[in-house]
Amino acid sequence: VSSIRTTSPEVLIELDRSRPRGLRAQVEEELRAAIRSGRLAAGTVLPSSRALAADLGVTRGVVVAAYDQLISEGYLSAHQGSGTVVDATVRRAAPPVASRPAAAPLDVDFRPGLPDLDLFPRTAWGRATRAALQSTPRDDLGYIASQGLPQLRQELADYLGRVRGVSAEPDRLVICNGFGHGLSLVAGVLRAAGHDVFAVEDPGYDGARTTLAFTGMRHRGTPVDDDGLVVDRLRGSGARVAVVTPAHQNPTGAVMSSARRTALVAWAREVGGYVVEDDYDAEYRYDRHPTGAIQGLDPDRVIYCGTTSKSLAPGLRLGWLVLPDELVEPVVADRRATDSATSSILQATYAAFLAAGDLDRHLRRTRRIYRQRRDALIAGLARWFPEATPCGVSAGLQFLLRLPDHLDEEAFAARALEAGTKVYPLGPYRTGRSGDHWPGILLGYGRLTPAAAERGARVLGETARAAGR
Amino acid sequence: VSSIRTTSPEVLIELDRSRPRGLRAQVEEELRAAIRSGRLAAGTVLPSSRALAADLGVTRGVVVAAYDQLISEGYLSAHQGSGTVVDATVRRAAPPVASRPAAAPLDVDFRPGLPDLDLFPRTAWGRATRAALQSTPRDDLGYIASQGLPQLRQELADYLGRVRGVSAEPDRLVICNGFGHGLSLVAGVLRAAGHDVFAVEDPGYDGARTTLAFTGMRHRGTPVDDDGLVVDRLRGSGARVAVVTPAHQNPTGAVMSSARRTALVAWAREVGGYVVEDDYDAEYRYDRHPTGAIQGLDPDRVIYCGTTSKSLAPGLRLGWLVLPDELVEPVVADRRATDSATSSILQATYAAFLAAGDLDRHLRRTRRIYRQRRDALIAGLARWFPEATPCGVSAGLQFLLRLPDHLDEEAFAARALEAGTKVYPLGPYRTGRSGDHWPGILLGYGRLTPAAAERGARVLGETARAAGR
């Protein structure tokens, strides 16, 4: 074991080059442990990846990858100009993990927000690519219109109208590279138009807050209850734009009630603002009637955003905005001046995929599989951990598990991890400014077999009982 | 013919619904003619696409497409917040085009900046896509590292080192979506670091100036001569960053001399700044030894950017930055907070394409074809228009033709267009602040058969003789 005390800030990182576990994983583990134990406090600026790599005698790529992973887990934040910083939302585990016995190997990872990538329809996608390569007109390989290929906008308009109740004329559609991209485009345009604060759901998707902060936009956390965003609380927030996930609130799973939908759109009209509708994992619905998009209520006040990240794979980097008329040109102008357009071959491929009915087929197939996984997890929890309450289970690829009030979600997660099951505390989703603070964990089940989901449920129940002692 | 006088601003647009020419093309022609004749003055704000569409009784898409086309031709500019504006760089044709007889149908289009999209290797690209779909690990379909797939960064590092003399460790490579995207990322990061002005080449690529303006960066035009950028003129400009096209200056075709390269890098060191090297169409070289990238001289001072837009097709939207170490993390942080990453399937496809040797094969094949086209054009000009001087012909997919001094480049282009040959005046490339102002036109020959190139040359010679009378 080579122990190295790095320079600025001082942090002990021990690498054992004889261990089969890779150096990257070791750097990651050591940093994670240091943050969780409090040795690295919130707000601490980490050394540059170059400096740390030099200290540790590893390549810079090892450190960059470890930082990347910890950023994606919410332990670190990276901000332009200020380097990599220990995130303020990480709460320390108590009692400290360091004093516990060595953890079991990771058996069940309940990571939320991901579909099962083994189900990605590689064959159908390859077929759609071939079709696109054969039929794409020559000029579509050149500098295409920044708004997106007409045939894809038409296919999407048809699909969104049919499946999501979106009033999506192709002229209002702009193809983009995923939700974060769409949100950053919208935030940039609205910032230029004088908006400087967005309301976000609390708890809500932390990635949206990062994107808003990056564009210089402030956010106001607004509470969520069983009917979705508490619209009354928007008044007086200073925000005239609200980002919401009405189909399946991320992370609580609440479906926004009809009354709230109407009230939300009325609020946007009243303040002369907008609703940004993140139609997050709306494709997966199991036990209830589909709820259309809010956008259909008022296409001039609602900015709709959808992607292929949950229905197919995040790696595609494909999304779309359906915009109020007056925002189409400013958003397209932004694309024109920056990244020009989304890859035309990717667009043509997705258009062919939709036209062939492959998305419908894929969703029918995967919906059945995800439902089985969800049912197994719910059954497992009912058997092994009945004191906990699953919330928002009727849709999506994940749900929120409300823990008994006496449990600390961070300590619970740390104990479960030692037993080989990884869960995701609700903490990072909270803005910390509103709402109840009961303990909860996110359980993504999309990637787990029914057997794994049940094993995980058993570990959670045992963890709770051990913590209760 | 239905003539409509639109509201704000008043501009007469005549649409003839009985003509086979589409409405979009007609709107485009009418607007172009109005701008060229001066009926629409520089700086005029056009009606919104919605308002104009309503005036004309066409769908909004028709107007958006026409605006898009005129923006890409430089007649219009679209800026966030201020709508679509008649570009200040458009110079009016004199004598006015309107008084001339109806133009001949377009026979030869010398549009620069585009490869022949008919040569795009659809079969090889399809094969690479299949290989990528078969071998891409599951996790690469998820949220990948914003810096780009390791296998593509490795392939590119090898290729750039071998072919362009770029010192490209994979750790310094960031995959992006083309040159405009790369430049906007770099400008954003450097702006956060206190830079507020970039030096650009004069004449130089106007798209780069648009991108810089969009990120809030000012630019300073710096003259170019036969040895490339006049480095001495950078001193006192206030800029500490210079954007250059050393391999084949866009648009003059000058190759930056060895002395200037050394001086440029020395300047960057002296001012603590950077050189942004746009390795524009460097793949196509015919009569001279390849010149390596400047980046090899000082990887800590030179930001290298390459793309597939000239070697393969702009529609792919794929590019890469090779960055000084300290800029890697800020640029990756920007991606992480905005569009996350470039499509992983696109990245994996290009990695497979490179690994199979398909790029080398494609370049060998197309280089021969482009050389024949260039030779035919040069021979045609020597025969039909010997008074004009081709500049920078040894590389690229286009060259600059210096016209005899008595000709006005705009009037010349207008007359040639009436005879069915479209050429691109040098005007929009100039910042108007430095350098000689002799008349010149850009001739892109990449998409023309040798016969078409020669027909075009003949029209140009005849146009000059008609203008001389």
Side-chain angles (χ1 to χ4, degrees):
Chain A
V1 176
S2 64
S3 291
I4 288 159
R5 191 163 286 276
T6 62
T7 39
S8 145
E10 283 218 338
V11 47
L12 184 71
I13 293 188
E14 294 187 329
L15 299 181
D16 180 351
R17 283 163 208 275
S18 69
R19 278 175 65 194
R21 197 143 169 71
L23 290 174
R24 184 193 74 108
Q26 291 189 44
V27 171
E28 210 179 292
E29 274 169 16
E30 288 282 310
L31 282 171
R32 197 186 287 107
I35 294 166
R36 294 185 62 85
S37 70
R39 280 191 287 138
L40 280 174
T44 307
V45 180
L46 292 189
S48 74
S49 56
R50 182 180 213 171
L52 185 58
D55 279 353
L56 299 175
V58 299
T59 70
R60 195 160 156 276
V62 163
V63 177
V64 169
Y67 279 9
D68 249 6
Q69 177 60 29
L70 293 170
I71 286 164
S72 74
E73 292 177 12
Y75 286 95
L76 300 177
S77 312
H79 296 296
Q80 204 176 302
S82 61
T84 307
V85 176
V86 178
D87 201 277
T89 59
V90 177
R91 283 191 252 161
R92 270 191 277 154
V97 184
S99 66
R100 304 199 146 258
L106 187 60
D107 174 38
V108 179
D109 186 350
F110 282 112
R111 179 170 169 193
L114 269 182
D116 186 343
L117 300 168
D118 283 334
L119 300 177
F120 180 75
R122 295 188 189 219
T123 307
W125 192 264
R127 202 166 50 225
T129 307
R130 266 198 308 286
L133 280 169
Q134 275 159 20
S135 66
T136 295
R138 178 187 60 193
D139 286 351
D140 285 355
L141 297 170
Y143 289 98
I144 62 166
S146 298
Q147 191 170 358
L149 290 185
Q151 68 267 35
L152 177 57
R153 289 189 282 120
Q154 186 63 60
E155 287 291 342
L156 280 170
D158 295 347
Y159 175 81
L160 293 172
R162 173 166 62 84
V163 173
R164 301 295 305 131
V166 171
S167 166
E169 302 145 38
D171 280 357
R172 289 168 170 243
L173 260 154
V174 177
I175 308 302
C176 64
N177 307 340
F179 175 71
H181 189 218
L183 182 62
S184 68
L185 288 166
V186 165
V189 163
L190 293 183
R191 204 168 138 70
H195 292 267
D196 62 353
V197 52
F198 274 31
V200 297
E201 296 168 327
D202 182 13
Y205 174 49
D206 50 341
R209 300 198 299 269
T210 305
T211 297
L212 292 174
F214 189 80
T215 61
M217 191 69 77
R218 289 174 298 141
H219 68 261
R220 288 272 176 284
T222 308
V224 166
D225 66 16
D226 291 347
D227 290 328
L229 188 81
V230 183
V231 175
D232 283 347
R233 298 283 293 270
L234 288 173
R235 287 168 224 280
S237 70
R240 291 185 297 125
V241 184
V243 186
V244 293
T245 51
H248 185 232
Q249 204 270 332
N250 184 6
T252 68
V255 179
M256 189 177 273
S257 68
S258 170
R260 289 277 174 82
R261 288 165 181 250
T262 311
L264 182 60
V265 169
W267 167 82
R269 287 188 195 129
E270 181 189 315
V271 299
Y274 301 97
V275 174
V276 180
E277 177 170 27
D278 175 6
D279 205 19
Y280 180 74
D281 71 11
E283 287 87 354
Y284 293 109
R285 226 166 300 101
Y286 310 109
D287 317 302
R288 57 177 174 82
H289 282 296
T291 321
I294 291 186
Q295 193 267 359
L297 295 181
D298 192 343
D300 291 327
R301 288 291 156 203
V302 181
I303 295 161
Y304 176 92
C305 188
T307 74
T308 56
S309 297
K310 304 299 174 288
S311 58
L312 286 163
L316 293 180
R317 304 316 307 140
L318 188 63
W320 43 88
L321 294 165
V322 186
L323 292 167
D325 228 29
E326 76 266 22
L327 298 182
V328 173
E329 266 168 21
V331 166
V332 172
D334 184 325
R335 296 300 299 279
R336 211 181 271 128
T338 56
D339 75 338
S340 176
T342 297
S343 175
S344 63
I345 288 191
L346 181 64
Q347 292 191 51
T349 299
Y350 194 51
F353 188 84
L354 286 170
D358 281 326
L359 180 62
D360 287 332
R361 249 188 302 280
H362 172 72
L363 290 176
R364 270 197 303 277
R365 171 173 168 249
T366 52
R367 209 178 272 129
R368 205 172 55 239
I369 296 171
Y370 290 136
R371 187 187 177 125
Q372 286 166 355
R373 294 175 180 183
R374 181 201 65 155
D375 290 348
L377 177 57
I378 290 177
L381 289 168
R383 176 169 179 198
W384 301 107
F385 195 8
E387 310 81 30
T389 313
C391 312
V393 300
S394 64
L397 301 172
Q398 66 193 49
F399 59 75
L400 176 61
L401 188 69
R402 180 169 179 162
L403 299 177
D405 285 346
H406 70 276
L407 291 176
D408 176 286
E409 64 191 23
E410 286 286 340
F412 181 85
R415 280 167 183 268
L417 188 58
E418 283 162 28
T421 289
K422 189 162 180 181
V423 297
Y424 294 77
L426 184 53
Y429 290 81
R430 300 192 192 278
T431 67
R433 292 192 188 158
S434 64
D436 299 337
H437 276 198
W438 40 264
I441 53 174
L442 270 289
L443 299 179
Y445 51 80
R447 299 183 306 155
L448 302 175
T449 61
E454 208 188 323
R455 276 204 309 283
R458 182 172 184 163
V459 168
L460 299 187
E462 287 166 355
T463 302
R465 269 181 295 286
R469 277 198 298 272
Chain B
V1 175
S2 66
S3 291
I4 288 158
R5 190 162 285 277
T6 62
T7 40
S8 145
E10 282 217 339
V11 48
L12 184 72
I13 293 189
E14 295 187 329
L15 298 183
D16 180 350
R17 284 163 208 274
S18 69
R19 278 174 64 193
R21 196 142 171 73
L23 290 175
R24 185 194 72 108
Q26 292 188 45
V27 172
E28 210 180 291
E29 275 169 17
E30 289 283 309
L31 282 171
R32 197 186 287 108
I35 294 166
R36 294 185 63 86
S37 70
R39 280 191 288 139
L40 280 173
T44 306
V45 179
L46 291 189
S48 74
S49 56
R50 181 179 214 173
L52 184 58
D55 278 353
L56 298 176
V58 299
T59 69
R60 196 159 156 274
V62 163
V63 178
V64 169
Y67 279 9
D68 250 8
Q69 177 60 30
L70 293 170
I71 286 163
S72 74
E73 292 178 11
Y75 286 96
L76 300 177
S77 312
H79 295 297
Q80 205 178 301
S82 61
T84 308
V85 177
V86 178
D87 201 277
T89 59
V90 177
R91 282 191 252 159
R92 270 191 278 155
V97 183
S99 66
R100 303 199 147 259
L106 186 60
D107 174 38
V108 178
D109 186 350
F110 281 112
R111 180 171 169 191
L114 270 181
D116 186 343
L117 300 168
D118 283 335
L119 300 177
F120 179 76
R122 295 188 189 219
T123 308
W125 192 264
R127 202 164 52 224
T129 307
R130 268 198 307 286
L133 280 169
Q134 275 161 19
S135 66
T136 295
R138 179 187 60 193
D139 286 350
D140 285 355
L141 297 171
Y143 289 98
I144 62 165
S146 298
Q147 190 170 357
L149 289 185
Q151 68 267 36
L152 177 57
R153 290 189 281 119
Q154 186 63 59
E155 286 293 342
L156 279 170
D158 294 347
Y159 175 81
L160 293 172
R162 173 166 63 84
V163 173
R164 302 295 303 132
V166 171
S167 166
E169 303 144 39
D171 280 357
R172 288 168 170 245
L173 259 154
V174 177
I175 307 302
C176 64
N177 308 340
F179 175 70
H181 189 218
L183 182 62
S184 69
L185 288 166
V186 165
V189 163
L190 293 183
R191 203 167 138 71
H195 292 266
D196 62 352
V197 51
F198 275 30
V200 297
E201 296 169 326
D202 183 13
Y205 174 50
D206 50 341
R209 300 198 298 269
T210 305
T211 297
L212 292 174
F214 189 80
T215 60
M217 191 69 76
R218 288 175 298 141
H219 68 261
R220 289 271 177 283
T222 308
V224 166
D225 65 15
D226 292 347
D227 290 327
L229 189 81
V230 183
V231 175
D232 283 347
R233 298 282 293 271
L234 288 173
R235 288 169 224 277
S237 70
R240 291 185 298 125
V241 183
V243 185
V244 292
T245 51
H248 185 231
Q249 205 271 331
N250 184 5
T252 68
V255 179
M256 191 178 274
S257 68
S258 170
R260 288 277 174 83
R261 287 165 182 251
T262 311
L264 182 61
V265 170
W267 167 82
R269 287 188 195 131
E270 183 187 314
V271 299
Y274 300 98
V275 174
V276 179
E277 178 170 28
D278 175 7
D279 205 18
Y280 179 74
D281 72 11
E283 285 87 353
Y284 294 110
R285 226 167 298 103
Y286 310 109
D287 316 302
R288 58 177 174 81
H289 281 297
T291 320
I294 291 186
Q295 193 267 1
L297 295 180
D298 192 343
D300 291 327
R301 288 289 156 205
V302 181
I303 295 161
Y304 176 92
C305 188
T307 75
T308 56
S309 298
K310 304 299 175 288
S311 58
L312 286 163
L316 293 179
R317 304 316 306 141
L318 188 63
W320 42 89
L321 294 164
V322 186
L323 292 168
D325 229 29
E326 76 266 21
L327 298 182
V328 173
E329 267 168 20
V331 166
V332 171
D334 185 325
R335 295 301 297 280
R336 210 181 273 128
T338 56
D339 75 338
S340 176
T342 297
S343 174
S344 64
I345 288 191
L346 181 64
Q347 292 190 51
T349 299
Y350 194 51
F353 189 85
L354 286 171
D358 281 326
L359 180 62
D360 287 332
R361 248 187 303 280
H362 172 72
L363 291 176
R364 269 197 302 278
R365 170 172 168 250
T366 52
R367 208 177 273 128
R368 204 172 55 239
I369 295 171
Y370 290 136
R371 185 186 179 127
Q372 286 165 355
R373 295 175 180 183
R374 181 202 65 156
D375 290 349
L377 177 57
I378 290 177
L381 289 167
R383 176 169 179 197
W384 301 106
F385 195 7
E387 310 80 29
T389 314
C391 312
V393 300
S394 63
L397 301 171
Q398 65 194 49
F399 58 76
L400 176 61
L401 188 69
R402 180 168 179 161
L403 299 177
D405 285 346
H406 69 277
L407 291 176
D408 176 285
E409 65 191 22
E410 286 285 342
F412 181 85
R415 280 167 182 267
L417 188 58
E418 283 162 29
T421 290
K422 190 164 180 181
V423 297
Y424 294 78
L426 184 52
Y429 291 81
R430 300 191 192 279
T431 67
R433 293 191 188 160
S434 63
D436 300 336
H437 276 198
W438 40 264
I441 53 175
L442 271 288
L443 299 178
Y445 52 81
R447 298 184 306 155
L448 302 176
T449 61
E454 208 187 324
R455 276 204 309 284
R458 181 171 183 165
V459 167
L460 298 187
E462 286 164 356
T463 301
R465 267 181 296 285
R469 277 198 298 269

